[in-house]
Amino acid sequence: RTTNGGIGITQISAEIPRYYTLFQNYPNPFNPVTKIRFSIPSFAETTRRVASLKIYDILGKEVATIVNEMLNPGTYEVGWNASDFSSGIYFYSLFTDNYKQTRKMVVVK
């Protein structure tokens, strides 16, 4: 368990993806735990990427950082526990040096 609401990051596939991908969280809507999956591809220049996965509230305020580390290419899954947050719409964004994607999720209590 992390100190910021994440419940651990796990590499779920050794297969090297061809593209960055941020998948829709599952389940959605959820109460109180959801899983977020994302892929980090391999490029010739380097084999590791700094990846950040952040959670934002409906006003755009950052409420949690659940991943912020160097990752090898692969597909990862991380859980987020929203038990300390109110019901509503939240956004999660994956950032790397050359990629950014955001998706929407809903907490229902």
Side-chain angles (χ1 to χ4, degrees):
R1 184 164 172 88
T2 66
T3 59
N4 57 11
I7 55 175
I9 183 170
T10 305
Q11 185 169 2
I12 60 171
S13 174
E15 183 177 329
I16 306 300
R18 296 175 72 185
Y19 307 101
Y20 285 103
T21 308
L22 179 61
F23 298 93
Q24 186 63 50
N25 67 303
Y26 181 81
N28 190 30
F30 66 98
N31 177 25
V33 178
T34 190
K35 293 184 179 187
I36 300 169
R37 185 182 304 182
F38 60 93
S39 297
I40 305 293
S42 177
F43 294 103
E45 311 89 60
T46 184
T47 59
R48 294 173 68 87
R49 292 277 185 235
V50 174
S52 292
L53 184 62
K54 298 183 179 197
I55 309 292
Y56 300 89
D57 66 14
I58 193 72
L59 299 175
K61 178 183 171 192
E62 181 181 324
V63 296
T65 298
I66 56 176
V67 175
N68 190 25
E69 58 188 87
M70 294 283 286
L71 296 175
N72 289 320
T75 301
Y76 295 85
E77 188 172 83
V78 63
W80 184 52
N81 186 337
S83 59
D84 294 336
F85 297 90
S86 61
S87 296
I89 297 172
Y90 292 84
F91 298 93
Y92 58 103
S93 296
L94 177 65
F95 301 95
T96 66
D97 292 341
N98 54 1
Y99 179 81
K100 177 186 174 188
Q101 186 174 359
T102 301
R103 291 193 177 265
K104 180 173 75 171
M105 61 183 164
V106 179
V107 177
V108 178
K109 293 188 177 184

